[in-house]
Amino acid sequence: MFSKILVANRGEIALRIIRACKEMGVRTVAVYSAADQNSPHVHLADEAVCIGAAPSSQSYLNIPAIISAAEITDVDALHPGYGFLAENAHFAEICESCQIKFIGPSPAAIRSMGDKMAARETMRKIGVPIVPGTQEAIRDKDEALRIAKKIKYPVIIKAAAGGGGRGMRVCHNEVRLVSALMTAQHEADTAFGNSAVYIEKYIEKPKHIEFQILADSHGNMVHLYERDCTIQRRHQKLLEEAPSPSVDWKLRKKMGDMAIKAARAVNYVNAGTIEFLLDDTGKFYFLEMNTRIQVEHGITELVTGVDIVKEQIRIASGEKLGIRKQDKIPLRGHAIECRINAEDPANDFAPSPGRIERYNMPGGPGVRVDSHAYAGYTVLPYYDSMIGKLMAHGRNRNEAISILQRALDEFIIEPIKTTIPIHKEILRNPLFRRSQMYTDFIQAVMGEWMDKMAAERVMPQLVAKER
Ligand code: ADP
């Protein structure tokens, strides 16, 4: 086992990793930007090194500074968390060449799944179903038009190097396709440094179902069942649950087997996630693989009892998986997670950074909160807006919902705006209660509620103006 690990991240995931290390008796090194000096991960780690100024490019993405911190503190491994450098194969390679064990898959596996087009091709070859679409980057508009005609509208343009719900454009007709193609290529180039885009059939009314994979370096691989991440806003997850209310044991077996097959195709080692879209006829399609720990890993931990972060560390140190037989993986009850973001749902989810004056964290049976926030903490504008994850675990879905509802009532974060109100609304929605939701749920079902909230916000100002 390692004696010291550097945590190359911030926020709640840095805390989560430090907690796992402490329980395993492994010392930790935090790295932080100048703006994060009051963050809990800095104080909870055994050592902390400032790696640069507030912007991520100068700190959490600053490879030379992070490697220097690792060398100075003499760590034997590094956990990248999610986001930042977690899926950067070049960074994983540098770690390896510096004799620092990267707690994640091999650079080759990261690379082969990092390019979505290449990943689609790998899946097609081994017989894992993919969404109909192109196998190569689109060269020009004529090619795009020809393909869209063949697979039929609506279609979706995606960046080969895309991620985080960015760089995607849905097109319902030829005019839109032609205009979207150019902007998509340009955007992909600016955002990801790679202008390659491809076209897929846009699956209407799908559910997002993903399988958690764990694999060790001895050839053992299992999945920890699925998570349902259908509740999204602009293709970004907002609420997740495990298991999926739309997947029965027969489908779970079929999808789970495919997920294992997909991960085996790239000789995957460590924790990873295979994402699928499930359509309303029960057909499913490979979407992508995330070669890192996911934000939503906690709900899988709640229903399986497996500590995924500890497993990641053990796997990286060469140990075998804790549970190596698929049919021995427990699945107990139901867990749901609400992402608590510093965003204003009544104002098109505008970021709402600022100081938290009042903070009350929920607790009690069945509740888990992973957050780095506290009263007096300032949500910074430089990084993503997630300030925590509220999870509930019940014997069944209804119980998990009830626990979550009372926990959301207890959760106070003021005066900044957060996603707490929209989570309360989702949980009381009859379609959600009946699991009749698709990836357009927020837009299609919550639209009216968001308009009402926005109007209530604006009205007092209008009234004041009229006076
Ligand atoms: P990213 O890597 O940016 O997260 P994904 O490929 O994982 O992008 O897709 C994110 C979300 O976008 C999906 O969960 C789904 O809601 C939507 N999406 C992606 N591809 C399609 C498609 N072909 N049809 C319908 N929805 C899609």
Side-chain angles (χ1 to χ4, degrees):
M1 183 42 67
F2 306 118
S3 56
K4 212 198 257 186
I5 292 176
L6 183 139
V7 182
N9 217 298
R10 65 178 300 281
E12 70 85 21
I13 192 63
L15 269 187
R16 170 73 187 87
I17 299 162
I18 293 169
R19 284 172 172 152
C21 291
K22 283 203 169 193
E23 290 173 23
M24 297 173 87
V26 177
R27 290 177 62 77
T28 50
V29 177
V31 291
Y32 64 99
S33 73
D36 263 341
Q37 57 185 355
N38 294 323
S39 257
H41 78 280
V42 178
H43 303 292
L44 282 183
D46 296 302
E47 294 168 61
V49 182
C50 182
I51 45 165
S56 312
S57 58
Q58 292 171 47
S59 49
Y60 300 104
L61 292 173
N62 183 345
I63 297 178
I66 294 172
I67 296 291
S68 302
E71 299 278 8
I72 293 164
T73 53
D74 199 22
V75 297
D76 34 17
L78 177 150
H79 197 307
Y82 53 68
F84 298 124
L85 297 167
E87 288 175 288
N88 185 322
H90 172 62
F91 178 62
E93 255 159 19
I94 294 176
C95 289
E96 268 185 13
S97 68
C98 296
Q99 317 295 322
I100 301 162
K101 180 72 190 167
F102 180 82
I103 303 177
S106 67
I110 300 177
R111 214 162 255 135
S112 46
M113 286 299 189
D115 183 311
K116 291 181 168 198
M117 257 171 357
R120 273 168 62 79
E121 181 55 16
T122 310
M123 294 306 122
R124 192 189 61 77
K125 278 193 193 139
I126 59 162
V128 171
I130 55 172
V131 185
T134 42
Q135 290 309 128
E136 280 168 24
I138 295 292
R139 282 184 298 261
D140 53 38
K141 76 171 182 358
D142 293 330
E143 189 184 9
L145 287 167
R146 202 171 55 245
I147 289 153
K149 197 171 173 190
K150 193 168 148 213
I151 60 176
K152 296 196 174 65
Y153 291 92
V155 298
I156 182 166
I157 306 178
K158 288 182 164 185
R166 290 173 308 152
M168 283 184 284
R169 283 200 151 64
V170 182
C171 307
H172 288 268
N173 54 48
E174 291 185 348
V175 177
R176 172 86 179 125
L177 180 64
V178 172
S179 69
L181 182 65
M182 279 190 307
T183 35
Q185 282 170 327
H186 178 72
E187 248 180 43
D189 193 25
T190 333
F192 312 110
N194 175 356
S195 66
V197 298
Y198 65 102
I199 294 181
E200 263 178 24
K201 170 87 186 145
Y202 183 70
I203 310 289
E204 289 187 272
K205 302 256 172 242
K207 292 173 188 273
H208 175 117
I209 310 290
E210 59 182 35
F211 276 73
Q212 175 69 56
I213 300 286
L214 275 184
D216 65 24
S217 53
H218 304 272
N220 301 299
M221 188 182 288
V222 293
H223 66 77
L224 303 183
Y225 310 112
E226 79 283 357
R227 293 182 287 258
D228 189 321
C229 314
T230 300
I231 303 290
Q232 312 178 342
R233 181 185 164 264
R234 300 217 173 126
H235 309 307
Q236 290 196 35
K237 299 160 191 169
L238 190 60
L239 177 149
E240 301 99 343
E241 48 189 313
S244 167
S246 311
V247 174
D248 60 18
W249 276 99
K250 197 171 157 216
L251 184 58
R252 181 167 296 127
K253 164 101 179 69
K254 211 164 136 192
M255 293 180 85
D257 286 350
M258 279 296 176
I260 297 274
K261 194 173 176 184
R264 283 220 185 269
V266 293
N267 298 319
Y268 201 82
V269 173
N270 215 285
T273 299
I274 303 283
E275 298 190 334
F276 294 108
L277 283 182
L278 175 67
D279 75 12
D280 52 8
T281 68
K283 271 203 206 136
F284 60 90
Y285 309 90
F286 170 86
L287 206 50
E288 65 165 343
M289 179 172 199
N290 287 319
T291 54
R292 54 167 164 82
I293 187 90
Q294 303 265 109
V295 171
E296 59 273 22
H297 72 277
I299 50 171
T300 299
E301 295 183 326
L302 290 172
V303 292
T304 60
V306 176
D307 186 313
I308 299 172
V309 177
K310 284 186 191 166
E311 284 294 321
Q312 284 194 290
I313 297 170
R314 287 194 200 106
I315 291 167
S317 78
E319 290 181 25
K320 287 184 179 165
L321 286 185
I323 308 178
R324 293 184 284 278
K325 285 213 158 64
Q326 186 61 54
D327 56 7
K328 292 281 181 288
I329 311 277
L331 182 58
R332 285 189 223 104
H334 198 95
I336 307 181
E337 166 178 284
C338 294
R339 293 194 188 195
I340 311 298
N341 300 337
E343 290 169 357
D344 185 0
N347 183 20
D348 201 23
F349 289 80
S352 175
R355 192 179 143 92
I356 299 173
E357 303 294 348
R358 251 187 100 210
Y359 185 80
N360 184 60
M361 197 167 90
V367 174
R368 168 172 163 182
V369 180
D370 281 15
S371 172
H372 56 290
Y374 54 88
Y377 176 78
T378 299
V379 179
L380 298 165
Y382 314 104
Y383 314 111
D384 83 52
S385 60
M386 202 182 72
I387 44 178
K389 306 176 307 197
L390 169 62
M391 292 167 253
H393 185 210
R395 281 167 303 176
N396 51 48
R397 188 168 189 262
N398 280 342
E399 191 176 61
I401 291 175
S402 304
I403 296 170
L404 212 41
Q405 283 179 313
R406 72 107 181 125
L408 282 166
D409 284 342
E410 288 172 24
F411 216 159
I412 296 169
I413 306 176
E414 288 174 357
I416 61 165
K417 303 286 181 213
T418 72
T419 45
I420 291 175
I422 194 162
H423 282 300
K424 290 183 181 172
E425 196 58 29
I426 295 168
L427 294 176
R428 77 168 76 97
N429 183 278
L431 291 173
F432 176 79
R433 306 291 293 229
R434 293 200 296 269
S435 316
Q436 288 172 331
M437 66 274 187
Y438 305 99
T439 52
D440 66 352
F441 180 88
I442 297 294
Q443 210 183 331
V445 182
M446 289 287 119
E448 207 176 308
W449 176 83
M450 287 190 284
D451 289 348
K452 199 173 127 239
M453 291 281 287
E456 270 173 23
R457 179 77 55 79
V458 176
M459 281 307 252
Q461 291 164 11
L462 289 181
V463 173
K465 260 189 201 160
E466 276 172 12
R467 268 195 217 124

